[in-house]
């Protein structure tokens, strides 16, 4: 006769909460603890698949084991249970079929938070889903954007990575189709123009890719914006409507002209200090502005920097 410990006497809802802090592989392994734990994992609301948790002598073997495990879990899981969070992580390109089936399964089970942190060689094959509140597509290759924008009416948090020059319209239209969006994060950016109109946006973070210094036109219309963060190698040509709710601004721009290996156009170098000053003047409504030392270096030598700070003050 098996003797239950204190944890095993807890209801499934609490055990699910405990297991949700683990990778799904570790959560499934608890089925061997006792009869009480045998089927607890099959109704987990949060699924976290991590490629690095799988052994393998080579990447092919490792990927094969990872794919088999993901497919096995999805096939054995209690189909009557919704999925609150679906997280798929890999440092290598995943089989497109695995990614497609995983996203389809998550959507079938009314997923609210979808996080795909993995290189994926094909454009997205979903466009509209009403229950999704958080979407992160990181390490995805947006050099070829999806054929049409996403439409996610309940979405509050959106995170894209690796958006290159052809994605400007896709981003603008997707944000326009997400009326409840509150947090928008774009990193590893390589865009020459970005237009964001979002009536409920509170937090905006833009991080430009290293070694990609260009003049980037940034147009923001977000009357409820409270926090704005701009980082990386870019010369921002900023234009924004009034931002009456703005509280915090953080700017950490790398002076492109210090890069000996990727020297910028002389015109960009000459205009960058003025572009930064003009942007900060349009962000004067903020309560707190943080500028990195690198951002101050954008304006050249110490005397020029002092004049620049006086002008902003």
């Amino acid at each position: 006769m098996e003797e239950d410990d204190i944890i095993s006497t807890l209801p499934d809802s609490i055990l699910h909460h405990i297991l949700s802090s683990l990778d799904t592989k570790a959560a499934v392994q608890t089925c061997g603890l006792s009869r009480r734990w045998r089927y607890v994992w099959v109704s987990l609301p949060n699924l976290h698949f991590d490629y690095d948790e799988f052994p393998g002598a080579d990447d092919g073997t490792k990927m094969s084991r990872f794919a088999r495990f993901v497919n096995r879990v999805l096939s054995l899981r209690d189909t009557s249970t919704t999925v609150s969070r679906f997280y798929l992580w890999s440092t290598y390109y995943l089989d497109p079929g695995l990614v497609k089936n995983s996203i389809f399964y998550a959507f079938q089970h009314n997923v609210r938070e979808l996080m795909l942190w993995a290189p994926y060689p094909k454009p997205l094959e979903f466009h509209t889903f009403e229950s999704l509140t958080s979407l992160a597509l990181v390490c995805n290759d947006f050099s070829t954007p999806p054929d049409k924008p996403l439409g996610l009416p309940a979405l509050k948090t959106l995170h894209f990575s690796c958006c290159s020059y052809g994605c400007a319209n896709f981003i603008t239209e997707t944000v326009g189709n997400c009326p409840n969006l509150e947090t928008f994060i774009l990193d590893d950016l390589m865009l020459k123009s970005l237009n964001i109109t979002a009536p409920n946006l509170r937090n905006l973070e833009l991080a430009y890719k290293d070694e990609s210094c260009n003049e980037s036109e940034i147009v923001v219309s977000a009357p409820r914006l409270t926090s704005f963060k701009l980082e990386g190698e870019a010369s921002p040509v900023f234009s924004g409507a009034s931002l009456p709710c703005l509280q915090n601004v953080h700017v950490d721009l790398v002076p492109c002209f210090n890069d000996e290996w990727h020297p910028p156009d002389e015109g960009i170098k000459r205009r960058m200090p003025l572009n930064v000053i003009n942007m900060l003047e349009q962000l004067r409504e903020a309560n707190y502005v943080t500028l990195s030392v690198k951002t101050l270096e954008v304006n050249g030598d110490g005397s020029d920097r002092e004049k620049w700070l006086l002008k902003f003050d």
Side-chain angles (χ1 to χ4, degrees):
M1 178 178 179
E2 296 180 357
E3 183 178 351
D4 288 338
D5 53 44
I6 295 177
I7 294 180
S8 296
T9 63
L10 297 172
D12 282 3
S13 59
I14 296 180
L15 297 183
H16 288 157
H17 182 74
I18 295 172
L19 293 182
S20 291
S21 64
L22 305 175
D23 173 81
T24 299
K25 181 184 178 184
V28 171
Q29 290 173 336
T30 62
C31 69
L33 294 176
S34 68
R35 284 182 294 180
R36 169 71 180 95
W37 287 85
R38 186 171 301 170
Y39 299 111
V40 172
W41 71 269
V42 301
S43 51
L44 274 176
N46 298 330
L47 299 175
H48 183 144
F49 298 105
D50 189 340
Y51 170 84
D52 282 351
E53 295 297 323
F54 286 78
D58 57 72
D59 292 329
T61 301
K62 191 171 183 177
M63 185 59 70
S64 178
R65 290 177 177 174
F66 178 67
R68 283 201 305 269
F69 176 77
V70 173
N71 289 327
R72 186 69 171 162
V73 168
L74 298 185
S75 65
L76 294 176
R77 189 175 175 275
D78 181 2
T79 57
S80 66
T81 306
T82 60
V83 176
S84 295
R85 183 187 306 131
F86 194 101
Y87 181 103
L88 189 64
W89 194 96
S90 173
T91 51
Y92 292 87
Y93 276 101
L94 296 175
D95 175 67
L98 175 65
V99 177
K100 181 179 179 180
N101 291 340
S102 297
I103 293 175
F104 183 70
Y105 181 92
F107 282 180
Q108 274 190 318
H109 295 81
N110 298 314
V111 64
R112 295 179 60 82
E113 300 179 28
L114 176 63
M115 289 164 276
L116 177 60
W117 294 60
Y120 177 35
K122 289 188 176 182
L124 297 175
E125 296 182 5
F126 72 91
H127 299 282
T128 304
F129 198 75
E130 294 184 358
S131 70
L132 203 62
T133 60
S134 178
L135 174 63
L137 300 172
V138 182
C139 297
N140 212 26
D141 182 4
F142 277 96
S143 56
T144 303
D147 57 358
K148 59 181 179 179
L150 307 182
L152 306 169
L155 199 72
K156 292 188 175 183
T157 301
L158 180 60
H159 185 178
F160 284 153
S161 182
C162 301
C163 294
S164 58
Y165 302 116
C167 297
N169 289 337
F170 167 78
I171 292 173
T172 297
E173 293 176 12
T174 291
V175 170
N177 290 339
C178 302
N180 292 301
L181 189 64
E182 296 180 357
T183 296
F184 189 29
I185 301 171
L186 287 168
D187 55 32
D188 278 343
L189 276 174
M190 294 182 67
L191 290 175
K192 292 185 178 180
S193 66
L194 181 63
N195 191 324
I196 297 173
T197 300
N200 290 303
L201 191 67
R202 268 70 167 178
N203 306 298
L204 177 61
E205 297 183 18
L206 306 177
Y208 282 81
K209 189 176 181 64
D210 291 344
E211 304 174 357
S212 64
C213 188
N214 285 298
E215 281 188 322
S216 180
E217 182 181 357
I218 303 171
V219 180
V220 177
S221 178
R224 296 188 180 183
L225 192 71
T226 60
S227 176
F228 176 62
K229 186 175 183 179
L230 178 63
E231 297 181 337
E233 292 193 358
S235 177
V237 181
F238 186 89
S239 175
S242 176
L243 301 171
C245 298
L246 194 61
Q247 297 179 14
N248 297 292
V249 171
H250 178 87
V251 180
D252 183 12
L253 293 174
V254 178
C256 309
F257 44 84
N258 286 348
D259 188 347
E260 297 179 0
W261 298 101
H262 301 85
D265 178 271
E266 284 300 314
I268 294 177
K269 175 180 177 179
R270 185 175 59 255
R271 292 188 297 270
M272 187 171 183
L274 182 59
N275 286 341
V276 175
I277 292 171
N278 289 338
M279 178 185 70
L280 291 173
E281 287 181 339
Q282 293 185 67
L283 299 173
R284 295 177 73 96
E285 293 170 292
N287 295 329
Y288 303 96
V289 177
T290 302
L291 306 177
S292 70
V293 173
K294 291 181 180 179
T295 303
L296 298 180
E297 291 175 357
V298 166
N299 208 54
D301 61 34
S303 60
D304 287 342
R305 191 180 308 133
E306 183 178 353
K307 294 176 183 178
W308 181 74
L309 289 173
L310 287 172
K311 181 175 181 180
F312 180 61
D313 188 49

